[in-house]
Amino acid sequence: MGYDRDIKDLRRVYMICHPEIKNRLKRASGQMNGVITMMDKGATCEDILNQLKAIKSSIEKAIGLLTTTNLIQKIEAKFNVEVKDVDDAIDLVMKGI
């Protein structure tokens, strides 16, 4: 019973977004607009596909960064600690995505 309550409390921790997440999403948004322009100009399917794959990769990286940042923030809130020196670990997770 206590475990369920702890999980619900963790869900209430509001995300403080890492600036890189917003940058990645802005970049993906610009790429999406570029793909629409490419389509309007009659670009090849291969060129459009390459751009869409780049957008997908960018979004997947943003998701990875969002989830790892959120995990760290929830650990910090739950245990009232400051997690430091995890950049190398986050980079490793991001490379795996």
Side-chain angles (χ1 to χ4, degrees), residues 48-65:
I48 292 169
L49 178 62
N50 286 333
Q51 287 302 311
L52 290 174
K53 288 169 69 175
I55 294 164
K56 178 182 174 187
S57 176
S58 181
I59 291 171
E60 287 173 347
K61 298 284 185 185
I63 290 169
L65 190 55

Side-chain angles (χ1 to χ4, degrees), residues 78-96:
K78 172 68 178 171
F79 299 104
N80 198 26
V81 297
E82 183 177 350
V83 177
K84 295 181 180 180
D85 300 324
V86 295
D87 290 338
D88 288 342
I90 290 174
D91 288 344
L92 183 61
V93 170
M94 295 301 293
K95 287 178 184 175

Side-chain angles (χ1 to χ4, degrees), residues 4-15:
D4 290 336
R5 188 180 68 237
D6 290 344
I7 295 298
K8 288 178 185 172
D9 289 343
L10 284 177
R11 288 184 191 142
R12 295 174 197 260
V13 174
Y14 293 99
M15 181 74 187

Side-chain angles (χ1 to χ4, degrees), residues 33-72:
N33 289 330
V35 167
I36 292 168
T37 300
M38 289 172 67
M39 293 171 86
D40 289 342
K41 292 182 176 181
T44 66
C45 289
E46 184 178 355
D47 289 342
I48 292 169
L49 178 62
N50 286 333
Q51 287 302 311
L52 290 174
K53 288 169 69 175
I55 294 164
K56 178 182 174 187
S57 176
S58 181
I59 291 171
E60 287 173 347
K61 298 284 185 185
I63 290 169
L65 190 55
L66 179 75
T67 54
T68 55
T69 301
N70 185 265
L71 176 62
I72 290 167

